[in-house]
């Protein structure tokens, strides 16, 4: 538990320095090479679906095994080296500081009235079309991204790190990277990426609901609309197309008193997303700052509640 707490503090302090090698980059390269290899072997839809299972299981197993092997080697040198390495590896699976930095990078030109630059920067963190967005659309997209990514950017890695240290946290990060690279429902990845998408949904299922609870607690502690957040979670979260994303988005929307969701464009095609929350307030750039503050508070509450749960589980079992 103390190592997980230390990893959280390392992520808050330094994030992901560009000069340090990041394990996710290596995982991404492995996925890319295996995808090309499997596509040379399998061509029909049924074969590609089988290849999708092989791809996911191979990458996730490799991430777990490589991390466990590195920790074992470090332990042979010195036990404290293994501890330091475990802390650092867990911190690389967390992205709290990086997510906050990305949101603030959008907020800066948005506040200054530079909508063109704000559109460009929000395009770095969302998959939707951004060229025609107005200021409210940019704000909504940023707040939604902050809320949704509390789960896979922090709470899920925390959950798996508490269960199994750096190896299991890195295995989760492999699942999440697979989903981000091949877990799409388009023509190219519908068959190859189906298993990665389902695996990611399963891996985030408990964490998404835990995140919503942490956001509710954060709303109460910060004097925001706790009751509205609770109503939004109960009413709106199940309507989201993702089985997990609606929970933190609805909690964030209710806490801030805004409405998220609505009309988005992907590759020029309109797509209506279910509304999350009620529009008590018009979306303003400051809601991005408030969302980041909520994210940090919810992350701290997740650490505290996770450590408490781990201590209780240890006492019982």
């Amino acid at each position: 538990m103390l190592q997980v707490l230390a990893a959280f503090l390392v992520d808050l302090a330094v994030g992901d320095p560009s000069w340090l090698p990041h394990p996710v980059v290596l995982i991404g390269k492995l996925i890319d090479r295996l995808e090309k290899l499997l596509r040379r072997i399998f061509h029909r839809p049924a074969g590609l679906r089988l290849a999708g299972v092989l791809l996911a299981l191979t990458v996730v197993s490799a991430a777990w095994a490589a991390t466990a092997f590195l920790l074992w080697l470090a332990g042979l040198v010195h036990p404290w080296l293994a501890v330091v390495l475990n802390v650092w590896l867990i911190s690389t699976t967390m992205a709290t500081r990086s997510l906050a930095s990305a949101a603030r990078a959008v907020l800066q030109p948005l506040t200054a009235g530079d909508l063109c630059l704000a559109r460009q920067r929000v395009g770095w963190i969302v998959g939707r079309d951004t060229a025609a967005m107005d200021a409210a659309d940019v704000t909504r997209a940023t707040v939604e991204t902050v809320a949704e990514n509390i789960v896979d950017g922090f709470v899920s890695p925390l959950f798996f790190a508490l269960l199994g240290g750096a190896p299991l946290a890195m295995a989760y990060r492999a699942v999440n990277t697979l989903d981000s690279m091949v877990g799409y429902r388009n023509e190219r990845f519908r068959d190859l990426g189906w298993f990665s998408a389902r695996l990611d949904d399963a891996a985030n299922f408990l964490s998404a609901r835990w995140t919503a609870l942490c956001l509710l607690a954060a709303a109460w502690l910060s004097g925001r609309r706790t009751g509205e957040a609770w109503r939004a979670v109960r009413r709106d979260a199940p309507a989201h197309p993702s089985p997990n994303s609606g929970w933190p988005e609805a909690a964030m929307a209710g806490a801030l008193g805004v409405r998220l969701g609505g009309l988005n464009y992907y590759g020029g095609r309109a797509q209506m997303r279910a509304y999350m929350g009620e529009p008590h307030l018009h979306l303003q750039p400051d809601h991005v700052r408030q969302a980041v503050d909520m994210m940090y508070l919810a992350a701290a509450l997740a650490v505290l509640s996770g450590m408490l749960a781990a201590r209780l589980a240890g006492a019982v079992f």
Side-chain angles (χ1 to χ4, degrees), residues 14 28 65 102 109 139 161 181 198 205 249:
V14 300
T139 301
M181 291 183 65
R198 300 297 184 276
F205 186 85
E249 285 189 24

Side-chain angles (χ1 to χ4, degrees), residues 178-198:
L178 279 160
D179 182 62
S180 67
M181 291 183 65
V182 303
Y184 300 101
R185 296 180 180 178
N186 55 29
E187 184 177 352
R188 175 175 172 80
F189 293 113
R190 184 180 298 110
D191 296 315
L192 185 68
W194 75 276
F195 187 76
S196 293
R198 300 297 184 276

Side-chain angles (χ1 to χ4, degrees), residues 81-261:
L81 180 60
V83 170
V84 171
L85 183 60
N86 189 56
V87 168
W88 176 71
L89 287 172
I90 292 173
S91 76
T92 65
T93 68
M94 300 173 174
T96 315
R97 182 184 175 100
S98 298
L99 181 57
S101 298
R104 288 168 179 154
V106 179
L107 177 60
Q108 182 180 9
L110 195 58
T111 304
D114 189 346
L115 186 56
C116 183
L117 183 57
R119 288 168 175 164
Q120 178 185 346
R121 288 182 175 177
V122 79
W124 297 345
I125 58 174
V126 299
R128 68 194 73 169
D129 300 343
T130 62
M133 283 184 173
D134 60 18
D137 290 331
V138 173
T139 301
R140 175 169 68 87
T142 309
V143 172
E144 288 172 353
T145 298
V146 170
E148 179 182 354
N149 283 282
I150 299 173
V151 179
D152 57 11
F154 182 75
V155 177
S156 284
L158 169 69
F159 176 74
F160 288 103
L162 286 168
L163 287 178
L168 201 57
M170 198 63 68
Y172 165 76
R173 184 51 65 201
V175 170
N176 189 244
T177 307
L178 279 160
D179 182 62
S180 67
M181 291 183 65
V182 303
Y184 300 101
R185 296 180 180 178
N186 55 29
E187 184 177 352
R188 175 175 172 80
F189 293 113
R190 184 180 298 110
D191 296 315
L192 185 68
W194 75 276
F195 187 76
S196 293
R198 300 297 184 276
L199 193 60
D200 185 72
D201 288 342
N204 289 311
F205 186 85
L206 292 177
S207 298
R209 285 129 185 97
W210 181 16
T211 301
L213 291 175
C214 290
L215 285 169
L216 289 170
W220 181 75
L221 287 173
S222 58
R224 292 186 168 89
R225 302 167 184 256
T226 313
E228 185 65 28
W230 172 243
R231 285 189 291 273
V233 169
R234 293 184 62 191
R235 182 190 63 227
D236 301 332
H240 198 284
S242 164
N244 298 319
S245 298
W247 293 80
E249 285 189 24
M252 182 70 79
L256 299 184
V258 301
R259 187 169 70 181
L260 302 177

